[in-house]
Amino acid sequence: MSKILIRGAKVLGGEPQDVLIDGSVIAEVGVGLPADGAEVVEADGKVLLPGLVDLHTHLREPGREDSETVLTGTRAAASGGYTAVFAMANTFPVADTAGVVEQVYRLGQEHGYCDVQPIGAVTVGLEGRKLAELGAMHESAAGVTVFSDDGKCVDDAVIMRRALEYVKAFGGVVAQHAQEPRLTEGAQMNEGVVSAELGLGGWPAVAEESIIARDVLLAEHVGSRVHICHLSTAGSVEIVRWAKSRGIDVTAEVTPHHLLLTDELVRSYNPVYKVNPPLRTERDVLALREALADGTIDIVATDHAPHPHEDKDCEWAAAAMGMVGLETALSVVQETMVETGLLDWAGVADRMSVKPAKIGQAAGHGRPVSAGEPANLTLVDTAYRGSVDPAGFASRSRNTPYEGRELPGRVTHTWLRGKATLVDGKLT
Amino acid sequence: MQRHLISAADLTRDDAVLILDTAEEMARVADRPIKKLPTLRGRTIVNLFFEDSTRTRISFEAAEKRLSADVINFTAKGSSVSKGESLKDTAQTLEAMGVDAVVIRHGASGAPYRLATSGWIDAAVINAGDGTHQHPTQALLDAFTMRRRLVGRDAGLGQDLSGKRITIVGDVLHSRVARSNVDLLHTLGAEVTLVAPPTLVPVGVDAWPCGISYDLDSTLAKSDAVMMLRVQRERMNAAFFPTEREYSRRYGLDGDRMARMPEHAIVMHPGPMVRGMEITAEVADSDRCTVVEQVANGVSIRMAVLYLLLGGNEPAVTHTRTIEEK
Ligand SMILES: [Zn+2]
C-alpha cells in the first residue's frame, strides 16, 4: 500500500511534526522524516487531529433518502473531518432490529467515506412501550453498543430503568433524548422572554432537566451507564456536574449550535433556527461552553439533522426541527471554544474524537496520533476565514443556520485508515 | 409608516396617533348617506384567512369596500399547519395575480411575518391575527375606542393615552389581543396591568412593559378601562384553573365589581363574549361596556390602516369632493 508523508503539521496543535502513513496505519511521527517515495502533503502548520467521531448523526436512510443517505451523509462527514459517525435509529423503518442496523452498517462500509456505527432503538418503533431486541442488535454484524430513541424521550421510568439494566449484559449505553413529553406539548422554542413575546409554544428548560435528574438517579440505583444527548441548559449542566461528583456513570454531549446560537434568532421566525432541543439563552450558551471546557460535558456531537428545503421554507409552526451540522461543527467549536481560550486543540481532539469514540466503543477511532495507530486523521487549516456557503455542502440537505455567516477554520484533508476521503477540501 | 403591519410593537407613537386620527376621519364617512370613498379604486386586496373569523373578515371587507378596493376572499381553512407549504404556495398564487395587499389571519404565530419577509410576495401584508402572537388592528381599534371615551372625539385628535390606566383581564397566555394591546398602549403612554391566574400568564412576561397582578379586586378602583379577554372553556380541562365557577369568582366581571370601578371607567371586550363566565350579562349590557362600539370602530381603524399603507399621498378624505366617480 501507498505511503503518505504529512509534512509540518501541528499535531494536536503542538510543534510542527511530520507524520508518515504507511498503508492503513501511522508508521512514524517525528521531525524531518524523509519522503522516501511517499506522497507528500505539505501541512504548512495546519493542525492535525485524530479523525473526528460524531456520536449523534441522522443519516435518514432508510426511509427519507430525499433528506440524506448513508452516502451523502458520510461524504458530509468526511468533509467535516469525521472518520466515524453514529447513525441515529429514527429512520423508516426504525432501526430496532438486527436487519436494519446491519443494512445501515453495510452501506457505510461499502461507500467507504467514514465508518458508520448504527445506534439501535431502545424501544420497538421508538414507541416507548416495549424494549427492542437490544441483544440481537448488539450481536449483529453492526455490533450495536449505543441505544437511543432519539427524537423521542424514553419517558416511562420503568422502561428506562429496564433498558439501563439490560444493556449492562454487553456493556452498552443508553443515550437519552431528555424531553418530558407533557411539559413540551405544543413546544416550538425555548420558553422564556422571547417565546412570551413571539407567542410561540414554550419548551421549558425544566422539561430537559427533570428527565436528566431522573435518569442519573436511575443509573445510580441500578449501577448503569447513561449518556445524555444534546444537553442544552445551564440547569442540566448543574445536574450532570452533581451526578459526576457523586460518582454516577453519566456522560453528556453538547451540539455546536447550542454553543453558539441563542433563542434571540427565533425573532426572525426563520425555521432554519428551529431545532430540538431549542436554542436557549446567552446564559445557557456560556454555561455549556464552560462545562465542555471543564469536562462536565464530555463531548461535542452534531445532531446533524438534514431536512429538504420544502420542510423548512414555510411558516415556523409547520417546519421540521433540526439543522445540518457535520460540515460546520469543527469551525463552530474553533470559534466558541478555541478562539475564546476555553479549549486548546488537544482539548478539541479529546471532546470531538477521543471521548466520543470511547463512549461509543468505536474501535480504531479516537486514538493517539502516534506510530502503530490506525491512520484516521484530520488536517485543519485553522487560519482560514470564510463565510459558510451551503451550496458547497456534500450533505443532501442545506438547512444550516450559518448561511452567509463567517466561521473560522476549514478541514482540508481527512484520512480513513490511510485512505484519503478529503484532499485539499475536495472529496475523493 | 412601514410597508406592512405585522405587530403593534412596530408602530411608533406618531404612527399610532396618525392611524387613530385618520380613523376619526374615516368614521365620519360612516355617517354619510353614501359610505364610500374612491381612495383605493383599482387596488386589489385579498383577505387570506387560514383560520375562521367571520367577525374580523367582515370588518376588513367592509373597510376595503368603503375604500372602493377590489376584494378577494380566500379561505384556506384546514390547510395551515399540517401542510406547511400551503402558505408559500398561496402567496405565490396571489403574487401572480398582482394583488396589492394581503390581509392574513393564520393559526401559526409568525406566519404574516414570514409572508412579509421571505420574498414570496411583494404585496403589503396586514396581520389580522396570528396564533398567540399579535392582532395589531384589534389593539388599534381598542386604543381608538379608549381615546374616544376617555379623552374625547375631537379633543382626542393628536392625543395619545398618556396617564390612562388600563387593566387587561383573563387568558393572557393564549391571547394575541393582550400582546398587541400591551405593546400599543405602552407606546401610547398608558399604564397597563395584566390580571390573570398565574397559569394563564406566560413565562417571560416580566420583560413586558406592564404590571402583573393575580388579584382583580385590587386593580379595579384604579382602572380607567378594564378589558376582559375571552377564556375558552377547554382551558379548564387542561388544568389552567380548577373550575369555571372558581374562575368566575376570582376573575369574572360582575355588577359588584363594576361598581367599584371609577365612574368614568369603561368595560371592553374583543368579542365574542362568553356571558356568565368572564363577564355577566348585567355588565355586558351596561352602557359602560363598549363592545358594540369596538365593532364599529374596527371598520374605521381598518380603513385608516389600509389607506395609510396603500393610499399614497392623497389626503385620506377629501371633504369637498363628491363621490360621483362611483
Ligand atoms: Zn434528540
Side-chain angles (χ1 to χ4, degrees), chain B residues 58-99:
Chain B
I58 288 176
S59 180
F60 269 104
E61 196 174 339
E64 290 150 6
K65 288 184 168 162
R66 282 187 194 171
L67 293 171
S68 305
D70 294 325
V71 179
I72 299 170
N73 285 310
F74 188 104
T75 310
K77 211 186 132 210
S79 60
S80 61
V81 172
S82 56
K83 291 178 228 142
E85 252 198 299
S86 61
L87 177 62
K88 183 187 179 187
D89 289 346
T90 309
Q92 288 177 335
T93 306
L94 299 178
E95 179 72 355
M97 290 162 57
V99 311

Side-chain angles (χ1 to χ4, degrees), chain A residues 56 58 88 90 148-152 176-179 229-230 253 276-277 303:
Chain A
H56 192 146
H58 295 274
M88 274 298 173
N90 63 339
S148 180
D149 276 0
D150 182 60
K152 288 183 178 175
Q176 176 69 291
H177 170 120
Q179 176 180 7
C229 293
H230 42 51
E253 71 191 32
N276 187 9
D303 194 6

Side-chain angles (χ1 to χ4, degrees), chain A residues 60-377:
Chain A
R60 304 294 186 216
E61 188 176 5
R64 281 308 299 268
E65 290 82 358
D66 58 326
S67 309
E68 193 81 285
T69 63
V70 174
L71 176 62
T72 60
T74 52
R75 283 169 64 89
S79 292
Y82 287 87
T83 52
V85 298
F86 284 72
M88 274 298 173
N90 63 339
T91 48
F92 307 96
V94 170
D96 58 2
T97 62
V100 178
V101 293
E102 280 186 353
Q103 179 198 359
V104 172
Y105 174 76
R106 196 168 27 78
L107 284 169
Q109 293 293 307
E110 277 171 19
H111 298 317
Y113 280 96
C114 126
D115 285 346
V116 175
Q117 182 54 58
I119 291 174
V122 177
T123 65
V124 175
L126 308 176
E127 282 172 359
R129 283 194 281 275
K130 200 172 166 296
L131 286 185
E133 290 194 351
L134 308 176
M137 287 190 274
H138 176 69
E139 279 157 24
S140 75
V144 175
T145 56
V146 182
F147 298 90
S148 180
D149 276 0
D150 182 60
K152 288 183 178 175
C153 179
V154 182
D155 68 300
D156 183 312
V158 172
I159 298 283
M160 187 60 184
R161 172 196 173 148
R162 300 285 182 246
L164 288 168
E165 289 178 304
Y166 194 82
V167 299
K168 279 202 289 186
F170 42 85
V173 62
V174 177
Q176 176 69 291
H177 170 120
Q179 176 180 7
E180 210 292 317
R182 287 278 281 139
L183 285 173
T184 51
E185 277 169 19
Q188 293 287 328
M189 68 173 297
N190 179 51
E191 181 167 75
V193 168
V194 182
S195 67
E197 190 177 316
L198 297 185
L200 288 172
W203 198 134
V206 66
E208 174 173 307
E209 294 154 5
S210 58
I211 293 291
I212 296 175
R214 182 199 73 176
D215 287 355
V216 296
L217 293 174
L218 282 174
E220 178 178 46
H221 182 63
V222 300
S224 299
R225 187 158 71 102
V226 66
H227 176 75
I228 309 298
C229 293
H230 42 51
L231 184 148
S232 71
T233 78
S236 298
V237 167
E238 286 309 310
I239 294 164
V240 171
R241 192 171 280 143
W242 170 83
K244 285 189 165 177
S245 75
R246 205 175 150 91
I248 298 172
D249 202 352
V250 56
T251 53
E253 71 191 32
V254 62
T255 71
H257 48 271
H258 287 111
L259 291 172
L260 180 60
L261 309 176
T262 72
D263 65 352
E264 288 292 327
L265 291 161
V266 182
R267 290 183 189 282
S268 67
Y269 282 110
N270 186 342
V272 78
Y273 300 115
K274 185 172 174 180
V275 67
N276 187 9
L279 300 178
R280 306 289 189 181
T281 68
E282 186 73 24
R283 183 179 151 261
D284 295 305
V285 165
L286 296 176
L288 295 170
R289 289 182 187 180
E290 242 170 65
L292 182 63
D294 72 20
T296 301
I297 295 176
D298 301 82
I299 65 168
V300 174
T302 66
D303 194 6
H304 177 80
H307 292 294
H309 182 67
E310 58 271 22
D311 288 1
K312 285 289 194 180
D313 193 28
C314 56
E315 60 272 27
W316 180 278
M321 293 195 256
M323 307 170 164
V324 292
L326 285 168
E327 292 168 83
T328 48
L330 193 59
S331 292
V332 174
V333 170
Q334 182 177 337
E335 173 161 324
T336 58
M337 300 301 294
V338 180
E339 298 191 349
T340 53
L342 287 165
L343 217 54
D344 57 15
W345 286 104
V348 172
D350 180 68
R351 308 300 196 273
M352 296 186 76
S353 177
V354 178
K355 291 256 176 67
K358 201 168 177 185
I359 294 168
Q361 301 171 53
H365 293 278
R367 302 293 306 162
V369 181
S370 53
E373 296 289 349
N376 294 316
L377 296 165

Side-chain angles (χ1 to χ4, degrees), chain B residues 176-236:
Chain B
R176 52 195 170 209
V177 175
R179 280 175 178 75
S180 315
N181 267 291
V182 167
D183 289 333
L184 183 69
L185 293 172
H186 172 73
T187 300
L188 289 172
E191 276 174 44
V192 182
T193 304
L194 299 174
V195 179
T199 47
L200 290 174
V201 175
V203 167
V205 77
D206 34 309
W208 293 8
C210 62
I212 310 287
S213 167
Y214 306 134
D215 178 16
L216 177 56
D217 289 308
S218 69
T219 61
L220 289 172
K222 33 187 181 172
S223 300
D224 297 303
V226 175
M227 183 184 298
M228 304 304 293
L229 299 173
R230 178 140 174 233
V231 178
Q232 289 176 330
R233 286 205 159 94
E234 59 259 35
R235 304 291 176 221
M236 202 175 83

